[in-house]
Structure formats: C-alpha cells, structure tokens
Amino acid sequence: FFFHAHHAIRDFCLSRGLGDVYKRQATILIFCNSLYIASSMANNLIIEEKPGFGSKFQDINSKDLKLSDFAGKLLLINLWATWCEPCKEEMPSLDRLQKQYNKEDFHILAISIDRGPKKNSANFFVDYKISNIDLFFDDKNNIPREVRAAGLPFSLFISQEGKQIAKLIGPAEWDSIYFKDFVNSNLN
C-alpha cells in the first residue's frame, strides 16, 4: 500500500513539475495515512500515567496558556493540523463529544500545530461548523516534541490534577460509547 501510494504521489507531482512539493508533501501524506490505517484497526486508549506537559500554548488572541490554567477539569488535548486529513475527519466527533459535557468539568482543547496564520485554523473551524471546541495554537511545535507525538492526530487525557492519564495515537470516533465511558469514569 505505502509503496503504491508513494509512487502515485511522486508521479502526480513530477508530471506537473512539482518535484520540491513531492519531497515535502509525500512524506507527510504517507506518515499521516499510515497512522490512520493503524489506528482505525485499534481505536483504544493507551493508559499511561505521568506528569502533564509543561509547554505553553496560545489562544486565538496570542495569550500564553499552560495546563495549570485549566486545573480542576478533565482535559482532552487534541494535537492537530489543517493539512492532516485524519485530523479533519475526527474533528466533528470531538465537537459532538464536547457538546455533551459542561466545559467546567470536561474541556477539549484542540491545539493546532500549523505554522501558518492562526486564521487558517480558525477558518477550518468555521468551514466545518466546529462550535463546541476551543481552539488553541502551538506553532513552535513544543508540545508534540515534549510528549513525543508519533504523528497526527495525537490526543492526551489530562486529569483534574494536571497529570497525563491516557493517550491515543491517530484518529478516533470520539463520541462513541468507549470514549464517553472513559470520560465519565474520570470525572470527579
């Protein structure tokens, strides 16, 4: 599969004189799609208790934030990017999940790692009618490096005390019973 996808992308880009684009985008596409295939077969959380990340992130107004700003809430941190197709596919289910919970108890933080203007991610939320999730940014990619994200999407559950309690590599149908049960069992 990967061999065929790689060659199809190469042929497409090279036939249009886009050799440089091919070198950058093909790697991203194959990496992102391989996570999609692997995770669609096993949509289970990895239970992993350890300290939460210390890297800062920003809101839409460029205000620096950290996990402790959300103390007392169960958090679902979703690292994503507008160029990641699996990220786009799972975002509506994250939005539906957040709609079922009060943000004072359970709060989903969608942290874009796009390096371009913040308006690109904001426009994505408008275009896809994502209205229940709050959008944040880490354009320096400090969080993915700190948590050693193996690809995108990459999600972490953070306890009310600020500790990482679980992670998921790849996309998910977040409003499924599996994830709702996990959220409910971790609410105080």
Side-chain angles (χ1 to χ4, degrees):
F1 170 77
F2 299 114
F3 178 79
H4 296 295
H6 174 77
H7 286 282
I9 294 166
R10 181 198 64 201
D11 294 345
F12 174 81
C13 290
L14 294 178
S15 71
R16 287 164 177 77
L18 302 170
D20 289 341
V21 171
Y22 156 71
K23 289 176 187 172
R24 290 188 311 267
Q25 300 299 321
T27 303
I28 291 169
L29 180 64
I30 290 172
F31 180 64
C32 207
N33 283 343
S34 65
L35 286 175
Y36 179 75
I37 291 165
S39 68
S40 65
M41 296 176 196
N43 205 354
N44 295 321
L45 288 168
I46 299 166
I47 304 303
E48 182 177 69
E49 294 188 26
K50 62 186 195 178
F53 60 84
S55 297
K56 292 181 180 177
F57 50 99
Q58 296 182 330
D59 66 11
I60 193 77
N61 298 313
S62 299
K63 178 184 174 189
D64 282 339
L65 299 166
K66 51 191 181 287
L67 284 179
S68 60
D69 294 322
F70 299 89
K73 301 177 185 185
L74 177 63
L75 302 176
L76 172 52
I77 308 295
N78 180 260
L79 302 177
W80 71 286
T82 56
W83 48 260
C84 171
E85 286 303 318
C87 299
K88 293 179 193 179
E89 290 175 16
E90 76 169 356
M91 198 60 72
S93 71
L94 281 164
D95 195 54
R96 291 189 303 267
L97 179 63
Q98 181 63 78
K99 187 176 183 176
Q100 297 177 35
Y101 293 91
N102 183 327
K103 288 183 184 176
E104 292 303 313
D105 300 321
F106 173 62
H107 199 158
I108 298 175
L109 311 182
I111 302 178
S112 170
I113 65 162
D114 283 319
R115 293 179 186 225
K118 289 181 173 139
K119 69 178 181 179
N120 293 347
S121 297
N123 288 341
F124 170 85
F125 269 44
V126 171
D127 293 345
Y128 281 76
K129 297 176 177 57
I130 306 300
S131 59
N132 299 299
I133 301 173
D134 294 323
L135 177 59
F136 299 91
F137 305 89
D138 177 18
D139 61 355
K140 294 179 182 148
N141 289 291
N142 291 325
I143 297 169
R145 278 194 294 277
E146 184 178 345
V147 300
R148 299 176 191 231
L152 294 177
F154 187 88
S155 302
L156 303 165
F157 277 96
I158 306 292
S159 72
Q160 294 84 338
E161 295 78 30
K163 296 179 181 174
Q164 177 184 316
I165 55 174
K167 68 180 178 182
L168 183 74
I169 303 166
E173 195 62 35
W174 287 101
D175 58 339
S176 69
I177 295 295
Y178 175 79
F179 293 109
K180 286 191 246 180
D181 284 348
F182 184 83
V183 169
N184 292 334
S185 69
N186 283 282
L187 287 174
N188 289 340

